């Protein structure tokens, strides 16, 4: 259907010339990868990847596998939502994994129970008056951690004008150090019942989906979202147009920090423990999800939907390799190839469009 | 209230020891179209950067619409009513046309601070209206700027000035990178502005274009204004003589 109402100057809008939204390509890639695993599974191990093959369960799909796929990516997915916004503004955030580490440690310290099986908590960080706190306390403390780290990132990038790569690299190293310093390297365990429910079962997935919908709306319907794209697309132009570019950057990195902290809360609650090494490499996984989902590292292009699809691709690949009983080493190698491949494809598409 | 929309007195800009602009006295009446000409480095763009708030002058006064201004930023100049189409297009390639027109001053449906909800429909309709004035042809204004031709981009940049009530439009070489047809399109927009009585400062190297479009020609050379010529009283050769320094206006003797 030709929609002429978008055109100006008597030109009619040719729907055939409309550029396909890049998310469709990502979705196609997702489907292709699932089909590939399905075929490989049937050929080599005689099992179905997607469909249920057990007789004692009455479902069409292998729901267990699907649940694991989405649960696996939900927590890093939360981080990826923030990283997506950062990359769209033309920046990068390498610190999210370390923010997860330090936030998990700090948060868990405020979520501990006083007694374990009648004995005093062996992993206690604080005295007994700081035990058995209502769940809101660790939540607020955790978010404050992430907000603070993100704020520092944002202020450094916006006002000292150092490249985001360097600023967040510094935060990555410093926050990891803080995580180790917090409990002298010891893990912190035994959270309260209420804290443990945050990451129970499929709750992380629900949290991820709610946040994804929220940020999808923010990126597409609000001034904040529009300015993210404008800054990533042409920063001098954004400045010239009166957008408060520096303030916006501070806000974007602060939100990314808060989302990393939220991921830390969910992760530590799910694992019932926090260690200084938590979240190592999460920043790269999150960046990879965004990039696979079509978010351009040059800024200005990408979407939350794309990142969610990228996260699913990520989860399917990990799950598929386990399903084919291949070593974890292959997973990482293939992950690397896919990240580079996604960027190459994106650039190739851009230059093709530029010529045409 | 005077007849003048813009007046500068002794406007000066030094970059360290470089005197990019010295003692520029310039005036523009309401509804008048003036061209600024001069060789590269003559001070044209420096002059424009001072009156649009991109840079702060070293000395001199800017009187716009009867009030003396010291613009701290391009935004302040724009809020006062000076709209500029810059040589480097100030457009975001990855946004569609309405988003670009309203960049930095979006229409809001629901105010939530930075998370204010955009009124996309109102922006689209206003963009259509502004573009219709320019006569530009764009198949789909919801397309990103990246996919558009140079002429279309330039028209979008110019339409930005039409979308808001501006008191003065400044164009810095608007047709420098355009083809014949696209140039004609932009020139048509300038004529519509003239008919609407909107004052314009046009920076251009194109002699034919200047003689076609404007009422008066101001020539810059080596950071100074060297001639102020009514179109009727001058010729292309004359203007070239002023630009190259073969000739200097009587009232500017000793200036260069």
């Amino acid at each position: 259907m030709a929609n002429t109402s978008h055109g100006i100057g008597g030109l009619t809008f040719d729907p055939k010339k409309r550029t396909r939204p890049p998310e469709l390509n990502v979705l196609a890639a997702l489907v292709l990868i699932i089909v590939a695993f399905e075929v490989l599974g049937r050929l080599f191990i005689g099992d179905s990847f997607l469909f249920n093959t057990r007789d004692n369960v009455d479902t069409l799909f292998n729901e267990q596998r699907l649940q694991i796929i989405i649960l696996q990516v939900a927590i890093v997915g939360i981080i990826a939502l923030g990283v997506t916004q950062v990359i769209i503004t033309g920046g990068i955030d390498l610190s999210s994994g370390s923010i997860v580490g330090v936030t998990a440690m700090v948060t868990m310290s405020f979520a501990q129970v006083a007694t374990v099986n009648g004995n005093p908590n062996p992993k206690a960080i604080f005295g007994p008056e700081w035990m058995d706190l209502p769940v809101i306390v660790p939540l607020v403390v955790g978010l404050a951690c992430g907000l603070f780290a993100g704020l520092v990132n944002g202020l450094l990038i916006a006002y000292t004008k150092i490249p985001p790569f360097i600023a967040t690299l510094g935060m990555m190293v410093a926050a990891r150090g803080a995580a180790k310093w917090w409990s002298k390297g010891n893990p912190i365990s035994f959270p309260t019942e209420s804290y443990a429910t945050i990451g129970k079962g499929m709750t992380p997935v629900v949290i991820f989906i709610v946040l994804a919908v929220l940020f999808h709306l923010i990126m597409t319907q609000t001034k904040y979202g529009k300015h993210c794209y404008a800054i990533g697309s042409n920063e001098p132009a954004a400045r010239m147009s009166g957008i408060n570019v520096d303030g916006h950057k501070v806000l974007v990195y602060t939100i990314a920090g808060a989302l990393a902290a939220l991921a830390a809360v969910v992760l530590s609650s799910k694992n019932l423990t926090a260690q200084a090494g938590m979240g190592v490499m999460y920043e790269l996984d999150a960046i990879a999800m965004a990039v696979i989902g079509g978010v351009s590292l040059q800024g200005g292009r990408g979407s939350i939907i794309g990142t969610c699809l990228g996260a699913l691709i990520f989860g399917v690949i990990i799950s598929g390799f386990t399903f084919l009983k291949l070593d974890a080493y292959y997973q990482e190698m293939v992950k690397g190839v896919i990240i580079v491949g996604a960027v190459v494809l994106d650039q190739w598409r851009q230059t093709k469009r530029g010529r045409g | 209230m005077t007849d003048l929309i813009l007046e500068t007195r002794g406007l000066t800009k030094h970059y360290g020891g470089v005197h990019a602009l010295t003692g520029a006295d310039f005036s523009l009446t309401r509804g008048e179209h003036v061209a600024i000409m001069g060789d590269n480095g003559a001070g044209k763009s420096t002059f424009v950067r001072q009156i649009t708030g991109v840079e702060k002058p070293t000395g001199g006064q800017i009187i716009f619409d009867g009030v003396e201004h010291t613009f701290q930023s391009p935004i302040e100049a724009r809020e006062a009513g000076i709209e500029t189409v810059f040589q480097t297009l100030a457009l975001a390639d990855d946004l569609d046309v309405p988003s670009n027109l309203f960049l930095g001053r979006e229409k809001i449906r629901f105010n939530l601070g930075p998370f204010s909800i955009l009124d996309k429909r109102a922006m689209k309709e206003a963009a259509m209206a502004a573009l219709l004035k320019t006569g530009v042809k764009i198949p789909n204004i919801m397309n990103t700027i990246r996919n558009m031709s140079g002429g279309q981009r330039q028209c979008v940049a110019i339409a930005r000035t039409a979308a808001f009530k501006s008191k003065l439009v400044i164009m810095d070489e608007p047709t420098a990178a355009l083809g014949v047809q696209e140039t004609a399109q932009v020139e048509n927009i300038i004529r519509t502005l003239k008919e609407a009585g909107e004052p314009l400062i046009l920076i251009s190297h194109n002699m034919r274009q200047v003689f076609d479009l404007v009422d008066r020609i101001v020539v810059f050379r080596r950071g100074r204004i060297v001639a102020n010529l009514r179109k009727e009283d001058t010729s292309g050769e004359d203007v070239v003589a002023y630009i190259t320094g073969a000739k200097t206006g009587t009232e500017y003797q000793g200036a260069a």
Side-chain angles (χ1 to χ4, degrees), chain B residues 23-155:
Chain B
D25 296 320
F26 177 89
S27 63
L28 182 72
T29 56
R30 288 169 201 282
E32 191 184 21
H33 281 199
V34 168
I36 293 181
M37 299 195 81
D39 225 335
N40 290 333
K44 310 180 302 277
S45 292
T46 308
F47 177 72
V48 167
R49 281 201 294 271
Q50 311 313 310
I51 54 179
T52 53
V54 176
E55 290 172 357
K56 271 179 261 179
T58 315
Q61 286 174 296
I62 299 166
I63 297 127
F64 178 66
D65 206 13
V67 187
E68 187 175 346
H69 285 276
T70 45
F71 298 124
Q72 297 299 317
S73 67
I75 300 115
E76 276 181 32
R78 173 177 286 175
E79 275 164 5
I82 301 179
E83 286 283 346
T84 315
V85 180
F86 286 101
Q87 206 168 1
T88 50
L89 295 173
L91 297 174
D93 274 352
D94 297 301
L95 297 182
D96 56 28
V97 175
S99 303
N100 264 297
L101 286 189
F102 289 93
L103 201 58
R105 34 188 176 180
E106 290 81 1
K107 283 183 191 283
I108 296 301
R109 198 161 46 166
F110 196 81
N111 194 349
L112 295 167
F115 299 103
S116 295
I117 293 161
L118 300 169
D119 193 345
K120 289 187 177 176
R121 188 185 300 168
M123 286 197 279
K124 189 184 155 197
E125 279 163 9
M128 285 283 215
L131 284 167
L132 274 178
K133 279 198 224 165
T134 68
V136 62
K137 291 182 172 139
I138 297 175
N140 180 10
I141 65 166
M142 302 313 281
N143 235 336
T144 56
I145 296 285
R146 188 182 294 281
N147 302 323
M148 293 182 185
S149 72
Q152 289 172 335
R153 285 155 168 258
Q154 194 60 268
C155 287

Side-chain angles (χ1 to χ4, degrees), chain A residues 225-280:
Chain A
K226 195 62 84 188
H227 290 182
C228 281
Y229 286 100
I231 292 170
S233 190
N234 188 345
E235 192 172 321
R239 222 175 267 279
M240 204 82 96
S241 305
I243 295 173
N244 180 357
V245 174
D246 296 331
H248 190 88
K249 282 185 177 173
V250 173
L251 190 57
V252 169
Y253 283 93
T254 308
I255 288 175
L259 283 168
L262 218 56
V265 168
V266 176
L267 180 66
S268 61
S269 160
K270 176 170 169 252
N271 291 359
L272 302 174
T273 182
Q275 299 155 18
M278 251 178 175
V280 170

Side-chain angles (χ1 to χ4, degrees), chain B residues 185-206:
Chain B
Q185 212 168 47
V186 171
E187 285 172 357
N188 266 330
I189 301 176
I190 295 173
R191 283 190 197 98
T192 3
L193 288 176
K194 179 74 189 166
E195 279 157 28
E198 290 209 40
L200 170 90
I201 297 175
L202 173 72
I203 298 179
S204 178
H205 286 298
N206 185 332

